[in-house]
Amino acid sequence: MFITENPFSLLSETLPVSFIQAYVILMFVLVVGGTIIDVVHKKSAEYFFQNAERAKKNAKRQLSAGDKSSVLVKTIAEDVLTSGEFCNPNRRMSHLLGMYGFIFFVLSTAVMVFSYPTAGDATPVLWPLLWHLGAAMVVFGGAWFWFFIRVDVSAEGHAWNRLVRADLFILSLLATTATGLLWSFFQSVQSQPWATLFLALFIVSSAVLFGGVLWSKFAHMFFKPAAAYQ
């Protein structure tokens, strides 16, 4: 069954392993570079440290190491692991599906591409399962958000299909995971024309996702936990 197969090891029969690995490294570099430029351009770090200094000046008491540890644990548990800032349960569930699905998807991609890159490697079934499960979670959570949460904007006088720059992240994320699943399926059943089509769409959409950090909401996932802790 295709969900237990490493799609990248099958791809290595067509494309050089070095090309696949170089592409993943390039996406990582684009994320790091885009995040740094985003922080500098929007002065997020400067605002964060200025806000921290104001908080210190206005503090009525100093927090002990135990207090800070308690706040850190609470922030991780509520704001990071369970997305407690979302009061709407539907919005929270959609966000959690997308967040954990994306983590599974990226982590398993890195493991399969760099540890089991060729068809001769025996990929543990855990990693292909995580990759396909993660992609499916993102598609389900993203579709839930897009069709049942985001579209409920009539009260604000907006059309349901209105697109803004902030939508770049969710749309490219949905496109990457959906086309990835379709590419994996058609590659598994050896339907080469469809596999080639969805592979091309997978590459383009992932390039937009990871290369468009500066113009999307991608970077907020990195400094949002720090802001919540502060």
Side-chain angles (χ1 to χ4, degrees), residues 3 29 199:
I3 62 173
V29 171
L199 173 61

Side-chain angles (χ1 to χ4, degrees), residues 185-199:
F185 170 75
F186 285 112
Q187 180 179 238
S188 177
V189 298
Q190 299 181 346
S191 179
Q192 199 56 43
W194 287 107
T196 301
L197 170 63
F198 286 111
L199 173 61

Side-chain angles (χ1 to χ4, degrees), residues 26-41:
L26 175 61
M27 294 303 102
F28 174 78
V29 171
L30 288 175
V31 169
V32 173
T35 301
I36 293 173
I37 295 173
D38 181 85
V39 169
V40 172
H41 175 68

Side-chain angles (χ1 to χ4, degrees), residues 68-136:
K68 292 180 180 179
S69 298
S70 177
V71 172
L72 178 62
V73 171
K74 183 178 180 181
T75 300
I76 294 174
E78 293 186 2
D79 293 281
V80 178
L81 298 180
T82 59
S83 300
E85 74 273 19
F86 294 113
C87 297
N88 185 317
N90 289 326
R91 181 68 182 274
R92 181 187 294 188
M93 184 57 64
S94 169
H95 186 271
L96 289 174
L97 283 168
M99 180 180 72
Y100 284 109
F102 183 66
I103 292 173
F104 294 160
F105 183 75
V106 170
L107 175 62
S108 54
T109 295
V111 171
M112 289 191 293
V113 166
F114 292 100
S115 298
Y116 310 98
T118 66
D121 298 316
T123 307
V125 71
L126 169 67
W127 299 113
L129 280 175
L130 271 184
W131 192 84
H132 290 93
L133 174 63

